[in-house]
Amino acid sequence: MQAYLKELYSELKEKYKGSLVSVKHVKNLEPNAKEYLNILAKQGLIEKITWGWYWIPDRIKDIWDFLSKDKNFKIISAQTAASFWNYDFIHRNVYLLKVADRSYGRALKEFAKKRGWNIELEYIKPKEVSYKKFDNLLVEDIEDNIIECMQRWAFTDAFATLYANRRKLDLASLEKKAYWKRVAKSNVRVKQALKYGYSIANKLTGKRLFPVKQPKFKDESIKREIEEAVEKVIELA
């Protein structure tokens, strides 16, 4: 291998091992990045994923190992983030992520497809989402996550997260954030749906787990979904 390729390959392994990397990223290391990356891919030292994107190989155990090693900005969200907060109450094989860069998103989808991982992406501006950092993973903030799951009709995920974290959650803050949000394809505010869930949890356990009275709630389909979700959470908690 020519010295200039060997030097670039060493730098890539040092900075991006296990990560997807774009030609644009590598141009900060080497002006001839496009040409050199193509040569390295043909030699089998790195993997070409899609136009302008490569993977710098490393041993990865599963998708979580990859997401931890990948250097690009992405946030674990919705039901996938809920599995962090509720200790994987419902195990899912679809991974929901929020990303800011559409070019990276296309590369990530292609990389996942090659490895048999089912991922769904939502494109966002980074400032639109609050998140917490767990080692090298960014996970949607717990309050925003509960609200998003409620909006998606993922009531079991939402109430499992709520129940598992009920002693440390600021319910007033959660309800304030939820006030103007609505359950998808309905006129029901997330705050109303949450309070109804609280009341069902109190009723099923015979305890005052949440400070709420039985609220008025007219949407029968959402009522049934919430009742079934809370019953499942209480039964298996």
Side-chain angles (χ1 to χ4, degrees), residues 30-47:
E30 169 53 58
N32 297 311
K34 184 176 180 180
E35 177 187 352
Y36 293 177
L37 286 170
N38 188 47
I39 294 172
L40 291 172
K42 285 182 177 179
Q43 292 180 354
L45 296 172
I46 64 176
E47 180 182 342

Side-chain angles (χ1 to χ4, degrees), residues 53 72-75 97-106 108 121-129 131 138:
W53 282 88
N72 298 277
F73 178 82
K74 70 273 180 196
I75 299 171
L97 305 169
K98 293 181 177 179
V99 300
D101 185 331
R102 290 183 179 272
S103 177
Y104 167 64
R106 289 190 291 271
L108 179 58
L121 302 180
E122 179 182 347
Y123 293 99
I124 51 95
K125 295 178 181 178
K127 293 183 179 179
E128 293 176 344
V129 181
Y131 54 85
L138 303 182

Side-chain angles (χ1 to χ4, degrees), residues 175-193:
E175 291 164 16
K176 184 177 180 180
K177 285 185 178 182
Y179 186 81
W180 294 109
K181 306 289 186 179
R182 296 188 184 275
V183 178
K185 299 181 181 179
S186 80
N187 291 320
V188 176
R189 290 179 179 173
V190 171
K191 180 179 178 179
Q192 293 175 293

